[in-house]
Amino acid sequence: MKLELRSVSKSFFSGGRPQKALMDVSFDTDFPHVLALIGPSGGGKSTLLRILAGLTSPDSGEVMIDGAFLPKAERELRAYRSRLGVVFQAYNLFPHMTALANVMLPLVQVHGIPEAEARGRALQIMERLGLADHADKHPLQLSGGQSQRVAIARALAPKPELLLFDEPTSALDPEMTAEVLKLIAELKESHTPMILVTHEIGFARKIADRIAFLAEGRVLEEGVAAEFFADPRSEEARRFLAKVLAY
Amino acid sequence: MKGSALFLDRAGHPSPPWLEKLWIVLVFALLALLCSFTLGGSAVFTAGGWESVWKFREVFWKGWVLTIVISTLSLVLSVLIGSLAALLRRSPVLPLRSASVLYVELIRGTPLLTQILFLYYAVAASVGLQYRLVAGVLILSLFSGAYLSEMIRAGIEGVPAAQWESARAIGLTPWQCYRFVILPQALRQILPPLAGQFASLIKDSSLLSIIGIGEFTLAAQQVNSATYRTLESYLPLALGYLALTLPVSILAKALERRLRHEA
């Protein structure tokens, strides 16, 4: 999958003052399976992911995915979003629905698949992700790891062209983190391209084909994962890796 | 058990829940006894009073039923008005938002009685609305809708932003976001205060007697002026309202408890 960014900027208002999350970001990348966005907190990783997810638009600049411009009008953006799967840090399941209903909702309401067929497809995916026993439970009855797997099932069910993960294990304890990371690693085999924001540097190193390193609103480095970890070019990346890999 | 445990509920020495309920009954009985002594000896509570009022039971019954009808219709209509006002309040279009703010502030800033007099005698008359009952239900709905819109807005805003985000992420339209994700969750927040609002509506509808709508309060006034039996006319009135509002407020409390347990 090819990703091209041209002078992408994005600011937020926080406390009445604009905060620059992305500053004139330009980079090209081409990854077969997995691109990992890593870097210190507040560096712009999540903002970039939200732009790629079509949840927010850059203030200026262009984004191209496989040669097609990311749409700007809300209607087209919505159609674009329906072709993606997004997994959030806090799972963001709909608490008033069963796990099964969560997975079925996009199939029925967005993709117009008949109820019975959608149910079959949702159950099939949930079974694959080891969730067969939890289909009729509500999110409050699920553990964090189970919740995140339901969220992944919800994202996978419509057969997305691209999967986006926003710190999918940050809210989980180590055991559940392992459970979710194992699942993401398995998904790599299904050949749906994935973009992953993560603090699990060891995991990024293992699974990612390419790495983009973001700090202070800029992409400081982009390259093949193995090369990036063996020999980071930027001073910031070197310092970051030294810090997070120290223990 | 010490004697004080029968009438004290302190931290560290909690009283059983039934004791509190027992005390409510006891205090009520005491109050009733007191009333029967003071009123029983006076001229307002004379022999034969209840018989003459009993003849008008049909009037009471019709008024009581009309009060239920008015309150129920107004509840339904005010939920619609309140939802609309809440959605307008959240609209990105400033004139719509301002209209909603103005509506809520005007209604909440003036007494219901003033609104009834003004809207019925000044506005309804000039637009040719002759049906008292229709005007009454409309006025009450407008009044209650303003309060409901704030409850509905609080309910909608109580749904975490992350829910909007994931609803949008799966490709739902704004209307679908409301329909499948936001409103079902907001409703659980809104239901208990909505039941409370229904109790308020039942009580507030009594003010419609001022424009000659034959609901419960006007019925009691008519019985009073026909029989000159004040206590015998107005005691059933109070009890009739309590018979409606107590179940509703018990329901509201039960809903609130259920919501707390589920959350």
Side-chain angles (χ1 to χ4, degrees):
Chain A
M1 171 158 276
K2 258 165 75 177
L3 189 63
E4 294 161 73
L5 274 81
R6 292 282 166 274
S7 310
V8 171
S9 293
K10 178 76 187 174
S11 302
F12 289 108
F13 281 90
S14 100
R17 262 179 299 167
Q19 301 259 314
K20 288 202 164 145
L22 291 175
M23 290 187 278
D24 202 27
V25 170
S26 298
F27 76 101
D28 291 3
T29 184
D30 195 349
F31 56 97
H33 304 301
V34 182
L35 168 71
L37 307 176
I38 65 171
S41 296
K45 307 181 300 285
S46 287
T47 304
L48 178 56
L49 195 87
R50 292 187 72 240
I51 289 175
L52 295 175
L55 289 167
T56 187
S57 286
D59 300 333
S60 60
E62 296 291 346
V63 179
M64 280 212 282
I65 296 176
D66 277 342
F69 281 107
L70 198 118
K72 293 203 170 83
E74 177 58 24
R75 183 178 290 271
E76 293 159 46
L77 217 46
R78 192 159 62 231
Y80 167 78
R81 288 197 291 265
S82 71
R83 308 203 315 268
L84 308 175
V86 187
V87 176
F88 298 95
Q89 179 180 349
Y91 342 124
N92 297 8
L93 294 176
F94 305 131
H96 57 296
M97 299 177 180
T98 63
L100 177 65
N102 265 278
V103 180
M104 284 173 65
L105 184 70
L107 294 177
V108 175
Q109 297 303 334
V110 179
H111 300 274
I113 296 168
E115 190 103 6
E117 193 187 329
R119 179 181 302 271
R121 207 157 123 184
L123 283 171
Q124 196 187 338
I125 285 193
M126 293 180 79
E127 198 159 327
R128 209 180 97 204
L129 303 196
L131 293 164
D133 295 339
H134 307 301
D136 293 323
K137 290 187 186 165
H138 279 76
L140 279 173
Q141 300 165 286
L142 299 173
S143 72
Q146 290 162 349
S147 295
Q148 195 58 299
R149 279 188 286 151
V150 173
I152 292 173
R154 183 173 71 183
L156 276 178
K159 302 195 173 109
E161 295 165 23
L162 170 65
L163 271 171
L164 301 169
F165 294 86
D166 187 6
E167 300 185 19
T169 60
S170 294
L172 301 175
D173 67 32
E175 201 176 334
M176 292 171 181
T177 297
E179 164 189 332
V180 168
L181 292 183
K182 181 167 166 277
L183 173 59
I184 296 173
E186 284 164 13
L187 289 179
K188 189 180 172 184
E189 309 306 316
S190 69
H191 301 297
T192 306
M194 299 192 270
I195 299 177
L196 175 71
V197 169
T198 187
H199 289 304
E200 301 285 338
I201 301 304
F203 180 67
R205 184 177 195 165
K206 220 165 128 185
I207 190 179
D209 307 306
R210 295 189 78 94
I211 299 282
F213 177 79
L214 282 86
E216 289 165 8
R218 293 196 172 84
V219 173
L220 296 179
E221 210 170 323
E222 190 284 323
V224 176
E227 288 171 15
F228 171 81
F229 285 106
D231 182 23
R233 276 164 292 156
S234 65
E235 181 58 29
E236 284 86 349
R238 210 166 301 157
R239 246 181 308 168
F240 176 74
L241 287 181
K243 218 185 282 175
V244 297
L245 295 176
Y247 299 102
Chain B
M1 190 195 256
K2 276 196 292 187
S4 64
L6 284 176
F7 49 88
L8 283 181
D9 178 24
R10 290 172 302 179
H13 301 276
S15 67
W18 57 264
L19 192 63
E20 194 174 331
K21 296 202 171 68
L22 181 71
W23 270 110
I24 293 177
V25 175
L26 283 176
V27 171
F28 180 76
L30 198 70
L31 192 71
L33 204 67
L34 203 68
C35 284
S36 70
F37 273 127
T38 51
L39 299 172
S42 73
V44 285
F45 204 55
T46 49
W50 288 109
E51 283 84 28
S52 57
V53 167
W54 179 247
K55 289 191 203 112
F56 290 90
R57 59 189 181 279
E58 193 81 349
V59 179
F60 272 119
W61 173 249
K62 279 186 179 153
W64 193 71
V65 170
L66 189 60
T67 285
I68 297 176
V69 170
I70 290 174
S71 311
T72 310
L73 285 178
S74 301
L75 182 75
V76 173
L77 202 57
S78 62
V79 166
L80 294 178
I81 296 173
S83 307
L84 183 70
L87 288 184
L88 292 185
R89 180 69 193 265
R90 292 177 54 83
S91 161
V93 186
L94 286 176
L96 295 180
R97 202 189 294 178
S98 316
S100 172
V101 172
L102 198 66
Y103 158 64
V104 170
E105 293 308 323
L106 284 182
I107 295 286
R108 298 207 309 175
T110 52
L112 176 57
L113 187 56
T114 310
Q115 291 165 26
I116 293 172
L117 294 173
F118 177 75
L119 289 173
Y120 183 68
Y121 289 112
V123 179
S126 68
V127 300
L129 181 61
Q130 291 159 346
Y131 303 101
R132 279 167 207 277
L133 201 58
V134 176
V137 168
L138 282 178
I139 294 167
L140 210 52
S141 306
L142 274 178
F143 170 76
S144 166
Y147 290 86
L148 278 180
S149 87
E150 291 292 282
M151 291 176 201
I152 293 170
R153 188 165 70 100
I156 291 174
E157 283 171 4
V159 179
Q163 290 288 310
W164 280 102
E165 181 113 316
S166 57
R168 288 177 64 227
I170 60 174
L172 296 178
T173 64
W175 166 243
Q176 285 178 321
C177 290
Y178 270 115
R179 162 94 172 69
F180 296 109
V181 178
I182 306 303
L183 287 183
Q185 294 183 62
L187 201 63
R188 292 158 50 129
Q189 304 282 332
I190 297 168
L191 232 41
L194 186 68
Q197 182 67 17
F198 187 42
S200 298
L201 263 174
I202 292 168
K203 292 179 288 174
D204 292 339
S205 69
S206 66
L207 286 173
L208 292 176
S209 59
I210 201 84
I211 55 170
I213 292 175
E215 44 68 70
F216 199 31
T217 300
L218 189 70
Q221 285 173 337
Q222 283 166 343
V223 173
N224 179 45
S225 51
T227 61
Y228 299 108
R229 300 288 178 182
T230 317
L231 185 105
E232 292 90 334
S233 302
Y234 291 138
L235 188 61
L237 180 65
L239 294 178
Y241 277 116
L242 277 173
L244 292 176
T245 54
L246 282 182
V248 171
S249 75
I250 288 169
L251 173 80
K253 284 214 183 70
L255 282 172
E256 221 166 299
R257 255 201 312 276
R258 227 187 73 186
L259 187 85
R260 254 210 313 274
H261 286 220
E262 280 177 17

